[in-house]
Amino acid sequence: MAHTPFHELLQSDLAKLEKNLRDLIDPHLETKDHLSLLNLACGRADETGVLAKVLAEKSKSAHIQGLDIRAPEIGQANSRWKKELEEKTSSDFIVHRGDRLLDLQEVGTPDIAFLRHQNYWNDKPVWTAIFDQALERLNEEGLLVITSYFNKEHALASKALEQLGAIQVGSIVNPNSRTLIDAPGKSVDKHLAVFKKG
Ligand SMILES: C[S@@+](CC[C@H](N)C(=O)[O-])C[C@H]1O[C@@H](n2cnc3c(N)ncnc32)[C@H](O)[C@@H]1O
């Protein structure tokens, strides 16, 4: 049987993410002239085009700021998305620790803090600090959105966010999430949830 090329799998993952994100945040995101999104622990930020589309439906212009500790991935994100985004959306990706977010004055107070495949399970103290500082940075009406690879990790991260004072206002389980063959039990954007500041 022929294998589906990897780029097609990625495209299919992103199409599902786009639909689920729109369904998840649409009821909670006010239309504004300008929206800003902070993509924390963004890696290569493959989902930037999807985020730009969703923001464009709610604003005249948008800025996507991404950060991660991995320099090569941040380099790839910058070179790809400086070319590929439409004019009304700008982007900028930097190497920085999400648990040192409060050191970064230029981030301002984003409308959305986004964490795709958050990794709370892997390092609870660091991810608690990332969640805490993301909530502190967020504007008062802002949304914090997470996606997770598996049930247990999602439940633990949601609980940690609630212990930090966040209120969950929506969630989606992705029934068509692609299983990761090399990571048993994990699948792409299996869970999505949106939180507001308490
Ligand atoms: C599971 S990966 C998710 C990457 C990307 N969001 C995605 O969905 O493909 C977790 C990411 O967290 C990043 N990371 C780990 N600790 C971090 C920290 N303290 N600050 C920022 N990023 C961190 C890793 O470099 C990695 O890119």
Side-chain angles (χ1 to χ4, degrees), residues 3-4 32 37 46 58 60-61 95 120 122 126 145 185 189-190 192:
H3 285 291
T4 308
K32 276 174 94 174
L37 180 145
D46 289 341
K58 292 279 190 173
K60 292 187 190 139
S61 68
V95 179
Y120 178 79
N122 199 42
V126 163
V145 178
D189 300 311
K190 173 72 187 166
L192 298 90

mmCIF file of all heavy atoms in Angstrom, residues 3-4 32 37 46 58 60-61 95 120 122 126 145 185 189-190 192:
data_model
loop_
_atom_site.group_PDB
_atom_site.id
_atom_site.type_symbol
_atom_site.label_atom_id
_atom_site.label_comp_id
_atom_site.label_asym_id
_atom_site.label_seq_id
_atom_site.Cartn_x
_atom_site.Cartn_y
_atom_site.Cartn_z
ATOM 1 N N HIS A 3 2.301 4.902 0.805
ATOM 2 C CA HIS A 3 2.240 5.788 1.979
ATOM 3 C C HIS A 3 1.808 7.186 1.553
ATOM 4 O O HIS A 3 2.199 7.669 0.504
ATOM 5 C CB HIS A 3 3.619 5.886 2.635
ATOM 6 C CG HIS A 3 3.969 4.649 3.396
ATOM 7 N ND1 HIS A 3 3.318 4.289 4.545
ATOM 8 C CD2 HIS A 3 4.890 3.701 3.162
ATOM 9 C CE1 HIS A 3 3.839 3.154 4.991
ATOM 10 N NE2 HIS A 3 4.787 2.775 4.164
ATOM 11 N N THR A 4 1.042 7.832 2.412
ATOM 12 C CA THR A 4 0.706 9.233 2.149
ATOM 13 C C THR A 4 1.952 10.071 2.411
ATOM 14 O O THR A 4 2.579 9.929 3.463
ATOM 15 C CB THR A 4 -0.410 9.697 3.108
ATOM 16 O OG1 THR A 4 -1.467 8.766 3.033
ATOM 17 C CG2 THR A 4 -0.901 11.083 2.747
ATOM 18 N N LYS A 32 -11.726 43.029 16.452
ATOM 19 C CA LYS A 32 -10.949 44.227 16.795
ATOM 20 C C LYS A 32 -10.218 44.701 15.542
ATOM 21 O O LYS A 32 -9.983 43.889 14.636
ATOM 22 C CB LYS A 32 -9.869 43.866 17.840
ATOM 23 C CG LYS A 32 -10.336 43.863 19.276
ATOM 24 C CD LYS A 32 -9.241 43.353 20.180
ATOM 25 C CE LYS A 32 -8.397 44.449 20.764
ATOM 26 N NZ LYS A 32 -7.427 43.906 21.763
ATOM 27 N N LEU A 37 -1.274 37.716 18.683
ATOM 28 C CA LEU A 37 -1.254 36.332 19.190
ATOM 29 C C LEU A 37 0.180 35.971 19.552
ATOM 30 O O LEU A 37 1.113 36.245 18.792
ATOM 31 C CB LEU A 37 -1.802 35.385 18.125
ATOM 32 C CG LEU A 37 -1.852 33.899 18.510
ATOM 33 C CD1 LEU A 37 -3.071 33.219 17.885
ATOM 34 C CD2 LEU A 37 -0.579 33.150 18.098
ATOM 35 N N ASP A 46 4.475 25.537 12.243
ATOM 36 C CA ASP A 46 3.817 25.158 10.987
ATOM 37 C C ASP A 46 2.390 25.701 10.883
ATOM 38 O O ASP A 46 1.861 25.846 9.789
ATOM 39 C CB ASP A 46 3.721 23.623 10.886
ATOM 40 C CG ASP A 46 5.058 22.971 10.650
ATOM 41 O OD1 ASP A 46 5.998 23.664 10.212
ATOM 42 O OD2 ASP A 46 5.166 21.754 10.914
ATOM 43 N N LYS A 58 -11.298 38.074 12.142
ATOM 44 C CA LYS A 58 -11.758 38.857 13.298
ATOM 45 C C LYS A 58 -11.078 40.214 13.401
ATOM 46 O O LYS A 58 -11.225 40.900 14.420
ATOM 47 C CB LYS A 58 -11.447 38.070 14.579
ATOM 48 C CG LYS A 58 -12.258 36.798 14.741
ATOM 49 C CD LYS A 58 -13.638 37.121 15.283
ATOM 50 C CE LYS A 58 -14.399 35.878 15.678
ATOM 51 N NZ LYS A 58 -15.648 36.217 16.357
ATOM 52 N N LYS A 60 -8.644 43.630 11.166
ATOM 53 C CA LYS A 60 -8.121 44.205 9.914
ATOM 54 C C LYS A 60 -6.636 43.904 9.774
ATOM 55 O O LYS A 60 -6.089 43.867 8.684
ATOM 56 C CB LYS A 60 -8.316 45.722 9.930
ATOM 57 C CG LYS A 60 -9.784 46.115 9.857
ATOM 58 C CD LYS A 60 -9.904 47.622 9.692
ATOM 59 C CE LYS A 60 -11.344 48.052 9.864
ATOM 60 N NZ LYS A 60 -11.492 49.280 10.633
ATOM 61 N N SER A 61 -5.960 43.759 10.904
ATOM 62 C CA SER A 61 -4.534 43.410 10.865
ATOM 63 C C SER A 61 -4.200 42.583 12.102
ATOM 64 O O SER A 61 -4.940 42.620 13.098
ATOM 65 C CB SER A 61 -3.660 44.678 10.831
ATOM 66 O OG SER A 61 -3.766 45.341 12.066
ATOM 67 N N VAL A 95 14.104 33.271 19.822
ATOM 68 C CA VAL A 95 14.575 32.250 20.755
ATOM 69 C C VAL A 95 14.464 32.838 22.154
ATOM 70 O O VAL A 95 15.120 33.854 22.470
ATOM 71 C CB VAL A 95 16.042 31.856 20.456
ATOM 72 C CG1 VAL A 95 16.520 30.802 21.454
ATOM 73 C CG2 VAL A 95 16.177 31.352 19.029
ATOM 74 N N TYR A 120 3.228 19.977 29.279
ATOM 75 C CA TYR A 120 3.155 20.010 30.746
ATOM 76 C C TYR A 120 3.624 18.698 31.373
ATOM 77 O O TYR A 120 4.363 18.667 32.357
ATOM 78 C CB TYR A 120 1.708 20.315 31.156
ATOM 79 C CG TYR A 120 1.488 20.343 32.643
ATOM 80 C CD1 TYR A 120 1.843 21.457 33.392
ATOM 81 C CD2 TYR A 120 0.933 19.253 33.308
ATOM 82 C CE1 TYR A 120 1.657 21.481 34.763
ATOM 83 C CE2 TYR A 120 0.743 19.267 34.682
ATOM 84 C CZ TYR A 120 1.115 20.382 35.403
ATOM 85 O OH TYR A 120 0.931 20.392 36.757
ATOM 86 N N ASN A 122 5.747 16.652 30.535
ATOM 87 C CA ASN A 122 7.184 16.408 30.459
ATOM 88 C C ASN A 122 7.991 17.161 31.517
ATOM 89 O O ASN A 122 9.050 16.701 31.927
ATOM 90 C CB ASN A 122 7.657 16.844 29.064
ATOM 91 C CG ASN A 122 8.971 16.252 28.692
ATOM 92 O OD1 ASN A 122 9.209 15.072 28.950
ATOM 93 N ND2 ASN A 122 9.832 17.067 28.134
ATOM 94 N N VAL A 126 8.346 23.787 34.835
ATOM 95 C CA VAL A 126 8.593 24.741 33.740
ATOM 96 C C VAL A 126 7.275 25.134 33.064
ATOM 97 O O VAL A 126 7.002 26.313 32.818
ATOM 98 C CB VAL A 126 9.588 24.153 32.702
ATOM 99 C CG1 VAL A 126 9.547 24.924 31.389
ATOM 100 C CG2 VAL A 126 10.989 24.192 33.276
ATOM 101 N N VAL A 145 -5.183 29.385 24.629
ATOM 102 C CA VAL A 145 -5.625 28.193 23.899
ATOM 103 C C VAL A 145 -4.518 27.145 23.945
ATOM 104 O O VAL A 145 -3.359 27.456 23.669
ATOM 105 C CB VAL A 145 -5.947 28.550 22.421
ATOM 106 C CG1 VAL A 145 -6.366 27.318 21.641
ATOM 107 C CG2 VAL A 145 -7.023 29.628 22.346
ATOM 108 N N GLY A 185 -0.082 6.114 21.652
ATOM 109 C CA GLY A 185 -1.009 6.822 22.539
ATOM 110 C C GLY A 185 -1.153 8.302 22.224
ATOM 111 O O GLY A 185 -2.055 8.958 22.738
ATOM 112 N N ASP A 189 -3.024 17.186 17.815
ATOM 113 C CA ASP A 189 -4.120 18.065 18.263
ATOM 114 C C ASP A 189 -5.330 17.259 18.721
ATOM 115 O O ASP A 189 -6.469 17.557 18.350
ATOM 116 C CB ASP A 189 -4.533 19.044 17.147
ATOM 117 C CG ASP A 189 -3.391 19.945 16.706
ATOM 118 O OD1 ASP A 189 -2.739 20.535 17.576
ATOM 119 O OD2 ASP A 189 -3.154 20.056 15.486
ATOM 120 N N LYS A 190 -5.083 16.256 19.530
ATOM 121 C CA LYS A 190 -6.165 15.375 20.012
ATOM 122 C C LYS A 190 -7.214 16.172 20.800
ATOM 123 O O LYS A 190 -8.411 15.956 20.659
ATOM 124 C CB LYS A 190 -5.555 14.284 20.890
ATOM 125 C CG LYS A 190 -6.553 13.383 21.598
ATOM 126 C CD LYS A 190 -7.204 12.455 20.610
ATOM 127 C CE LYS A 190 -8.330 11.642 21.216
ATOM 128 N NZ LYS A 190 -9.143 11.000 20.188
ATOM 129 N N LEU A 192 -8.330 20.181 22.240
ATOM 130 C CA LEU A 192 -8.144 21.637 22.232
ATOM 131 C C LEU A 192 -8.990 22.209 23.362
ATOM 132 O O LEU A 192 -10.086 21.698 23.635
ATOM 133 C CB LEU A 192 -8.632 22.272 20.925
ATOM 134 C CG LEU A 192 -7.952 21.857 19.620
ATOM 135 C CD1 LEU A 192 -8.663 20.666 18.992
ATOM 136 C CD2 LEU A 192 -7.964 23.016 18.627
#
